[in-house]
Amino acid sequence: MKGPKKAGPQVIDPALSPPIYVPIGMALAGVLGLLVLQALVIAKAPMIFGPFRFNPAALAAVHLFTLGFATSVMIGAFHQITPVMMRGRPVEGGWALLQGLAYLAGSWALVWGFYRSAGPWITAGGTLVVLALVVFAALVVRAMRSATQWTVAGRFMAAALSFVLGTVIWGLVLAFNLRRGFLPDSLDYSPLGAHVLLGLGGWFMLTVFGVSYQLFPMFALTNRPSAASGHAVLAKLSAGLWGAFASLLLHLPALTAACLLLAAAGAARYAADFFAMMRQRRRPELDLSMRYGVTALAFLVPAALLLLLSVRHRAFAVPGAWLFLFGFVATMILGMLYRIIPFLFWHHLMRNRRSKTQRLPKLDEMFAQRTARAGYFCWTAGVLLTGLLLLGGALGWWDARYLVRGSAILNLTGSLLFAGTILQVLRARPLDGRERSMG
Ligand code: HEM
């Protein structure tokens, strides 16, 4: 039988995997968050893309993205990937379910609280998110402690856990500060910058870099960079980002700049590893998942530059954050899901088929390739166009807040096509013994 061998990302091993509803349930919850967010962006663009500080619509949209979409998917992916990749104990389904539900309830309550400027919802939702993520980290660390194989990616993921906890705990402090105002200067951007740095740099970027060290060589049939290089990237990024967090809170601008330079050196070394992987690949054509991955990394470059520029010129924070979140993080996640969900579901069908004569569809047959490609183009065009419109707005060329409503429709279309093809995967069934495969 033609199985998913050619794509084997070594993240699926039935003996070490959690129950399938853990990764797929969290991924579906995340995709729902992304769809709601797109609708919110179209409905409330003029409010969301206005001045970003203490802006309820912007806070709701940002946290619907970071918590409702991206972190939801990543929680499921951590439970799936870490025990298999590191040969550790899988998470128990009951615990993962409990933690996932508490997390989702907390995130949506927090988003609602931000949207309605409702203090009790913000603090209650934020507290639930923090507690659920502490349990999440404990469950992943438990799998890691029984690991017999420490990979570069595993070390990145362990470090990323410290960053997500730092982000949400400090976020909760900021949330209480919104109500009580105990931080001395409400116009000071440093506490907010510290929260954003840990979340975007430490949680999202570090996880993506780490996972790509594991998956890109398998997806693109290329050589894996040396472990020493991966460890150097991790050391520079971790030290730089934690250092910048502390020095921002202590108001030490020279030290903050030095730490950010160290983190930038880590990112530059990662870029060198990435280009080496791409140059040496033995599969020249990029499949859909890799195409999303490469596009995501291409968006990271202008995003990081704009976010750095925003330290001096605040207006660049909006296009920078857009390109970072939608261009880099979301594009990468959508690409990875195109690889992982069909894979997981194929194994599920394999385990549950009634007899050995039942054929399974090939991975490529589990969803309509053309629709998926159309989704990729709509998504990428939407991200790019919205990014350019927001950049023009930051430069004072036009009022982007109304214009982006149009380009965001492209994004919504892209995510609907993505969601449709993922649902198609989940409806795939074993073919009858006599039925010929479509391939
Ligand atoms: C992965 C997790 C998270 C990420 C990546 C993240 C990211 C961000 C970003 C980008 C902003 C700036 C948005 C703006 O000013 O319009 C922000 C602001 C904020 N976040 Fe989060 N966030 C996360 C989790 C949380 C959690 C769990 C809480 C609360 C418990 C929280 C509380 C806040 C608060 C209160 C602000 C506004 C702070 C201020 O302006 O002084 N965040 N966050």
Side-chain angles (χ1 to χ4, degrees):
M1 171 169 318
K2 288 251 169 67
K5 235 185 275 160
K6 68 167 185 171
Q10 291 173 15
V11 290
I12 291 140
D13 173 347
L16 295 176
S17 293
I20 190 168
Y21 59 76
V22 174
I24 292 202
M26 292 308 286
L28 290 180
V31 173
L32 177 68
L34 183 64
L35 292 176
V36 174
L37 171 60
Q38 309 281 330
L40 185 70
V41 166
I42 292 170
K44 302 281 174 196
M47 284 163 72
I48 292 174
F49 296 105
F52 63 88
R53 199 77 201 276
F54 307 120
N55 170 343
L59 282 171
V62 163
H63 292 88
L64 191 47
F65 182 99
T66 57
L67 297 170
F69 163 58
T71 304
S72 300
V73 178
M74 286 162 70
I75 287 176
F78 264 64
H79 284 317
Q80 174 63 44
I81 294 175
T82 46
V84 177
M85 185 180 68
M86 301 170 73
R87 319 302 299 168
R89 267 169 72 178
V91 66
E92 279 162 32
W95 273 107
L97 185 67
L98 204 67
Q99 170 255 305
L101 289 176
Y103 170 80
L104 291 172
S107 315
W108 286 82
L110 177 65
V111 168
W112 179 249
F114 276 139
Y115 188 68
R116 302 304 302 254
S117 294
W121 282 87
I122 296 177
T123 44
T127 306
L128 198 52
V129 169
V130 171
L131 292 176
L133 286 176
V134 169
V135 176
F136 160 67
L139 292 173
V140 176
V141 167
R142 189 167 155 271
M144 287 179 167
R145 283 182 55 184
S146 58
T148 53
Q149 183 178 303
W150 271 89
T151 56
V152 171
R155 293 194 163 86
F156 269 80
M157 291 169 97
L161 282 182
S162 72
F163 281 104
V164 72
L165 290 182
T167 309
V168 296
I169 292 170
W170 184 244
L172 190 57
V173 174
L174 295 181
F176 278 106
N177 180 58
L178 285 183
R179 286 183 79 182
R180 310 241 176 261
F182 47 79
L183 292 176
D185 177 3
S186 64
L187 292 179
D188 180 5
Y189 278 81
S190 303
L192 172 63
H195 172 64
V196 172
L197 200 64
L198 291 192
L200 304 199
W203 172 228
F204 292 142
M205 199 169 75
L206 219 64
T207 305
V208 168
F209 284 3
V211 170
S212 75
Y213 274 119
Q214 183 74 14
L215 298 189
F216 279 8
M218 297 176 214
F219 291 173
L221 294 183
T222 180
N223 299 334
R224 183 159 293 155
S226 70
S229 185
H231 292 153
V233 173
L234 177 59
K236 287 190 171 89
L237 278 172
S238 301
L241 291 169
W242 274 119
F245 172 76
S247 49
L248 264 174
L249 294 188
L250 296 171
H251 293 98
L252 302 170
L255 188 59
T256 307
C259 290
L260 286 177
L261 269 179
L262 183 64
R269 177 133 194 194
Y270 171 81
D273 280 349
F274 170 75
F275 282 118
M277 284 194 274
M278 286 295 108
R279 250 197 335 270
Q280 294 161 4
R281 71 186 194 276
R282 294 186 293 285
R283 181 183 289 154
E285 84 286 3
L286 295 177
D287 67 8
L288 187 64
S289 170
M290 274 304 288
R291 216 179 284 180
Y292 267 105
V294 172
T295 308
L297 288 165
F299 276 130
L300 176 59
V301 179
L305 290 176
L306 286 168
L307 286 173
L308 281 178
L309 264 178
S310 73
V311 175
R312 292 259 156 195
H313 309 282
R314 304 251 184 267
F316 290 122
V318 177
W322 170 268
L323 287 177
F324 192 98
L325 294 176
F326 281 77
F328 171 55
V329 180
T331 307
M332 183 64 78
I333 289 180
L334 298 187
M336 293 287 160
L337 288 180
Y338 262 134
R339 186 65 72 135
I340 291 174
I341 292 189
F343 225 75
L344 278 174
F345 203 66
W346 190 93
H347 276 270
H348 171 74
L349 292 178
M350 175 79 165
R351 266 202 313 279
N352 293 298
R353 65 187 172 155
R354 277 197 312 276
S355 77
K356 293 216 158 121
T357 60
Q358 270 193 315
R359 286 168 186 234
L360 296 186
K362 291 187 217 159
L363 287 177
D364 292 354
E365 294 169 348
M366 293 175 86
F367 58 93
Q369 298 291 319
R370 272 185 164 188
T371 314
R373 275 198 297 274
Y376 165 81
F377 285 116
C378 285
W379 173 264
T380 310
V383 171
L384 187 62
L385 192 56
T386 308
L388 289 174
L389 288 172
L390 290 173
L391 183 59
L395 291 167
W397 293 347
W398 48 63
D399 187 349
R401 291 174 303 158
Y402 295 90
L403 297 176
V404 293
R405 272 192 163 145
S407 56
I409 291 176
L410 272 173
N411 274 103
L412 177 62
T413 313
S415 16
L416 283 171
L417 291 174
F418 172 84
T421 43
I422 290 298
L423 289 180
Q424 245 181 340
V425 171
L426 300 180
R427 285 208 310 269
R429 293 290 171 263
L431 308 168
D432 186 273
R434 282 155 304 163
E435 207 174 313
R436 293 179 66 81
S437 93
M438 288 147 59

